[in-house]
Amino acid sequence: MKIHDWFDGPYPARVRIALAEKNMLSRIEFVSVDLWAGEHKTPEFLAINYSGTLPVLELNDGTLIAECTAITQYLDALDDSPTLTGQTPVEKGLIHMMTKRAEIEFLDAVSVYFHHATPGLGPHVELYQNAEWGNRMRDKAIRGMRYFDGLLKRQPFVAGGTFSMADITVLAGMIFASLVKLDVPDDCEALREWHARMQQRPSVQEWRAMVARGAPQR
Ligand code: GTS
C-alpha cells in the first residue's frame, strides 16, 4: 500500500498516527507530494485525488481512497479488530459524529484560516484568498477549542470512554493550530490536560519522530 502525503502536514498526521496506532507503518510506502511546491494541484495529482488534497491511500490493485476519515476506516477494518472507529453500532455512530464535528468546528476551520488569512502555501498555490472569511474561521476554531474543552471536562476522550479517530482529529486541529500560532485559551484546562495526555501515546511520539526526520530526500 502507498500513502501519498507530505511528511509534516496536519491532515497527513491523522493517517500516520492511525497507522502507528495499528502497527501498520511498516506496510506503507510513503510517496511525497510537496505541498509548498503546489504538487497537489498538478493535473497528475488531481487525477489521483479530484479534491487536490493529501493524504491519499493507494491500494496494491490501484484503488485510491482519499479523505482521512475514509482512509482510517479502511485501515481500521483491515485486521478485523477495529480500535479507532468503533465496534458496536453506538460506538461507530458517536465516533463518526465526533470526528465530523472535530473537522467542521476545529480542524477545517484552522485550515481555512491558514489558507485565507495568512500567506498560506504562497501565492502560486493560494489563487483566491478572503481574509475576512479566514478570520471568521479562526474565531470559529477558537469556539471549537472551547467546545472540546467542555466535552473533555466530562469524559476522558473525545467520543467518550476510549481513544478513537475523533481524538486523532482534534489532535490534528491542535497540530495545525500550533503551526499557525493559534493559542489554546488559557482557561481550556481540560483540553490542555487531554493534549498533554495524547503526547504520551506511542503513536503520537512515533509521528513526532517522523516529522523530526524532516522532508524526504528526492
Ligand atoms: N477533507 C480532507 C481530508 O480529511 O483528507 C482534507 C485534506 C486536506 O485539507 N489536506 C491538506 C491539503 O492537502 C494537507 S495539510 O495541509 O494538512 O498538510 N492542503 C492543501 C490545500 O491546498 O488545501
Side-chain angles (χ1 to χ4, degrees):
M1 288 185 286
K2 291 179 185 169
I3 299 272
H4 302 257
D5 78 354
W6 182 241
F7 76 107
D8 68 349
Y11 287 85
R14 293 172 66 185
V15 167
R16 288 181 176 226
I17 292 170
L19 284 163
E21 286 283 338
K22 302 288 290 180
N23 280 318
M24 282 183 187
L25 276 167
S26 62
R27 292 170 59 178
I28 302 291
E29 178 192 338
F30 287 97
V31 181
S32 180
V33 181
D34 188 342
L35 286 170
W36 296 93
E39 287 179 0
H40 58 304
K41 300 300 183 198
T42 61
E44 293 76 23
F45 186 78
L46 293 175
I48 291 175
N49 180 11
Y50 170 81
S51 300
T53 56
L54 306 173
V56 179
L57 171 67
E58 182 176 345
L59 305 184
N60 294 341
D61 68 359
T63 303
L64 295 162
I65 303 179
E67 296 298 325
C68 294
T69 304
I71 298 170
T72 306
Q73 277 171 339
Y74 172 82
L75 295 170
D76 203 26
L78 265 189
D79 58 4
D80 288 328
S81 168
T83 50
L84 299 175
T85 57
Q87 296 193 348
T88 65
V90 72
E91 280 172 6
K92 285 177 200 274
L94 287 172
I95 291 169
H96 193 118
M97 173 180 77
M98 294 313 298
T99 299
K100 190 78 185 165
R101 198 168 279 175
E103 289 178 337
I104 293 172
E105 307 296 339
F106 186 26
L107 173 59
D108 292 353
V110 179
S111 176
V112 174
Y113 167 63
F114 169 70
H115 289 290
H116 283 274
T118 79
L121 293 169
H124 56 301
V125 179
E126 311 293 357
L127 301 182
Y128 169 75
Q129 290 195 297
N130 181 332
E132 188 190 352
W133 179 240
N135 285 324
R136 284 182 82 110
M137 289 303 104
R138 177 201 55 205
D139 297 346
K140 178 176 183 172
I142 291 170
R143 284 196 302 276
M145 289 186 199
R146 292 196 183 284
Y147 167 72
F148 286 108
D149 178 62
L151 192 78
L152 289 162
K153 281 192 172 75
R154 305 191 300 271
Q155 58 194 46
F157 297 99
V158 174
T162 51
F163 179 84
S164 76
M165 169 169 72
D167 293 278
I168 298 177
T169 309
V170 175
L171 199 48
M174 299 289 274
I175 290 167
F176 216 154
S178 151
L179 286 175
V180 297
K181 305 200 180 341
L182 208 59
D183 292 336
V184 178
D186 284 342
D187 56 349
C188 286
E189 283 163 20
L191 182 62
R192 287 169 181 277
E193 183 280 324
W194 166 90
H195 190 233
R197 200 158 22 94
M198 292 302 104
Q199 304 312 305
Q200 304 307 312
R201 291 188 80 85
S203 61
V204 176
Q205 291 174 358
E206 221 166 324
W207 172 75
R208 290 210 175 281
M210 283 188 276
V211 170
R213 285 200 283 277
Q217 300 298 313
R218 293 284 171 99

